[in-house]
Amino acid sequence: MIAEDRIVTKPLFSMKGCEIMKCYKCKKEIKDGIEFCPSCGALQIFTADLIDMAIANDQNAISQLYEMTYNNVYLTIRMMVKDEDTCHDLLQDTFLRAFRNLSQLEKPEAFRGWMKRIA
């Protein structure tokens, strides 16, 4: 039995923690919502132009979307699946499914969350 004074009521996840994220390219901490990383200049937001270029099968745009979301999607799947090989299979399936259905994405800025839902 746990004594009541030992019960932690502090939330495990704070919304304030979402204000800082890491650049997908240089891995330096940046503020959430900025357009370009101040350290390496990498684009940090998903634009309608980038999504449209990927829909048109522009390999550079597809690669950029992949790089921008790989870590988030991997971690989402890894939290649900402990086997590394299965995780990588699901990761590949997630990206294939997403890029095949990219024209169904309604809001480009929601791409990262859309990818995580697919995963």
Side-chain angles (χ1 to χ4, degrees):
M1 180 174 254
I2 299 174
E4 283 186 40
D5 61 336
R6 292 186 172 217
I7 297 175
V8 178
T9 57
K10 187 176 171 183
L12 296 174
F13 177 77
S14 169
M15 290 305 289
K16 288 183 180 181
C18 290
E19 294 172 2
I20 299 292
M21 56 184 267
K22 287 190 177 184
C23 171
Y24 75 93
K25 204 164 207 163
C26 70
K27 308 295 185 220
K28 296 209 174 164
E29 286 189 355
I30 57 174
K31 288 184 180 180
D32 190 12
I34 64 168
E35 191 169 348
F36 295 96
C37 174
S39 298
C40 70
L43 181 68
Q44 299 297 309
I45 61 171
F46 302 99
T47 64
D49 288 340
L50 181 61
I51 299 296
D52 289 342
M53 289 173 12
I55 291 170
N57 207 25
D58 180 312
Q59 293 303 305
N60 290 329
I62 291 169
S63 293
Q64 187 170 356
L65 289 172
Y66 177 84
E67 290 174 14
M68 291 173 77
T69 56
Y70 177 87
N71 287 336
N72 293 110
V73 176
Y74 172 81
L75 291 172
T76 299
I77 295 171
R78 192 69 174 136
M79 286 175 25
M80 296 182 282
V81 177
K82 299 303 176 204
D83 181 63
E84 187 71 17
D85 291 334
T86 302
C87 179
H88 283 284
D89 287 343
L90 291 171
L91 187 63
Q92 180 178 343
D93 291 345
T94 298
F95 278 102
L96 286 172
R97 192 170 171 200
F99 288 127
R100 285 182 183 144
N101 296 299
L102 195 52
S103 62
Q104 296 177 12
L105 178 66
E106 294 176 9
K107 295 179 183 176
E109 64 275 6
F111 181 74
R112 189 181 320 273
W114 185 70
M115 287 292 301
K116 290 170 83 173
R117 278 193 308 278
I118 292 171

